[in-house]
Amino acid sequence: MYKYAILFLALLVGCSSAPETGRSQFIVMSHAQEMKLGQEAFTKILKEEKTIKKGTQYDTMQRVGEKVALAAERLYPESVHGYKWKFALIKDKDMVNAWALPGGKCGVYTGLLPVTENEDALAIVMAHEVAHVIARHGAERSSQAIASSVIAGIAMSEMNKRDQMIVLGAYGLGIALPFSRTQETEADQIGLYIAADAGYDPREAIPLWQRMGKAGKKAPAEFLSTHPASETRIKQLRGWMPKAMMYYDTSIAHEEALKTNSKPKN
Ligand SMILES: [Zn+2]
């Protein structure tokens, strides 16, 4: 019977590959399914958390989110599948954290804002989350959990509590599964390009991740549990910087041109 289940999974797997890196991915979930799961999880989380819906911090976050989402669509049009972006600001000053759910729903905790310090750095974090979405990391992680339980030939009822949680989490709440280190590195790279294309200075990424490293010693964050060690991360960011600067310079030149054109003629 499990033979058929494996065959079924194999048939479901599309030829998915991650944007930018071209890494081939094992995903057994349609875009419609992942958007539905993401929306359900988002509604559930927002019911439990205190969200902020107005004020300077909220306005800044919405503006950054909008610009970053537009840049993602511009840079990786084949990877943005009608995602409906939402950026929730959650009140919790002790959480130096942010998350992304399949289909474009993201959350940022107020505790992250003092660490990001400026709008460029906030954009880098938010673009990192948007990158998780467009690279379908949640669906990929869930697919791995589903497949490993099927391949191992274990019925749900025979699984231990932890495995059940993983698979149920995979179905019900994308956030239950931490991203892998490969996925985190991919989100760093894609996110850096997206932020730069949105007109945010990618050079801010280096001091930002250094600050995050220090903040993480007090409060564990999504960014530190599975993220590359900070030295590796800084080295990688430096490697991606020339391409990011190209996007940034183009974006700034474009903004300048728009400003010049919109000036009234004397
Ligand atoms: Zn991440």
Side-chain angles (χ1 to χ4, degrees):
M1 165 176 180
Y2 288 109
K3 201 166 72 191
Y4 297 112
I6 293 167
L7 186 69
F8 179 63
L9 274 180
L11 287 173
L12 272 176
V13 182
C15 39
S16 277
S17 61
E20 191 60 44
T21 62
R23 180 176 62 85
S24 60
Q25 293 173 295
F26 171 77
I27 295 177
V28 292
M29 199 178 283
S30 70
H31 290 292
Q33 276 174 310
E34 74 179 299
M35 281 175 76
K36 189 171 169 280
L37 289 180
Q39 180 59 59
E40 281 168 8
F42 193 61
T43 310
K44 190 170 179 279
I45 295 167
L46 295 192
K47 255 185 217 154
E48 288 160 10
E49 305 274 11
K50 232 187 195 160
T51 53
I52 296 173
K53 293 199 175 98
K54 56 177 189 214
T56 321
Q57 286 185 332
Y58 175 81
D59 293 342
T60 305
M61 197 197 149
Q62 297 307 308
R63 180 175 64 239
V64 173
E66 219 166 277
K67 284 173 84 173
V68 162
L70 273 176
E73 285 174 33
R74 213 164 33 231
L75 277 189
Y76 305 104
E78 69 291 343
S79 300
V80 179
H81 302 268
Y83 294 146
K84 297 204 169 54
W85 301 100
K86 280 265 164 61
F87 302 94
L89 179 60
I90 302 164
K91 195 174 178 180
D92 190 335
K93 65 175 174 44
D94 298 319
M95 284 284 268
V96 184
N97 211 355
W99 42 259
L101 291 166
K105 309 290 184 275
C106 305
V108 169
Y109 292 90
T110 48
L112 183 81
L113 302 176
V115 183
T116 52
E117 282 182 10
N118 57 60
E119 203 169 316
D120 292 290
L122 176 64
I124 285 156
V125 173
M126 289 176 74
H128 171 102
E129 296 306 328
V130 163
H132 277 310
V133 174
I134 67 164
R136 304 184 72 197
H137 287 160
E140 189 182 13
R141 213 74 182 117
S142 304
S143 302
Q144 286 161 352
I146 295 163
S148 60
S149 65
V150 171
I151 290 164
I154 328 166
M156 278 293 276
S157 57
E158 293 165 18
M159 281 184 195
N160 64 35
K161 194 95 189 134
R162 192 188 142 269
D163 287 346
Q164 272 187 29
M165 286 295 287
I166 290 176
V167 176
L168 291 175
Y171 278 114
L173 196 65
I175 203 170
L177 296 168
F179 296 124
S180 70
R181 200 162 270 214
T182 306
Q183 291 177 324
E184 290 305 342
T185 302
E186 209 163 73
D188 272 353
Q189 184 181 14
I190 298 170
L192 189 72
Y193 297 156
I194 292 174
D197 193 71
Y200 294 106
D201 192 340
R203 289 167 294 193
E204 285 291 331
I206 292 169
L208 161 76
W209 294 122
Q210 284 166 339
R211 289 196 297 275
M212 292 283 264
K214 279 184 203 143
K217 287 192 182 107
K218 284 181 273 164
E222 186 249 339
F223 306 103
L224 299 144
S225 53
T226 55
H227 281 71
S230 77
E231 265 174 52
T232 316
R233 182 173 227 172
I234 304 298
K235 222 171 127 191
Q236 285 167 332
L237 288 167
R238 290 215 169 95
W240 302 320
M241 207 52 80
K243 188 169 173 181
M245 285 307 288
M246 205 182 68
Y247 286 130
Y248 179 59
D249 290 340
T250 310
S251 172
I252 295 302
H254 183 71
E255 262 175 44
E256 289 298 320
L258 280 180
K259 266 187 223 157
T260 317
N261 288 340
S262 62
K263 263 185 202 157
K265 286 185 183 111
N266 294 321

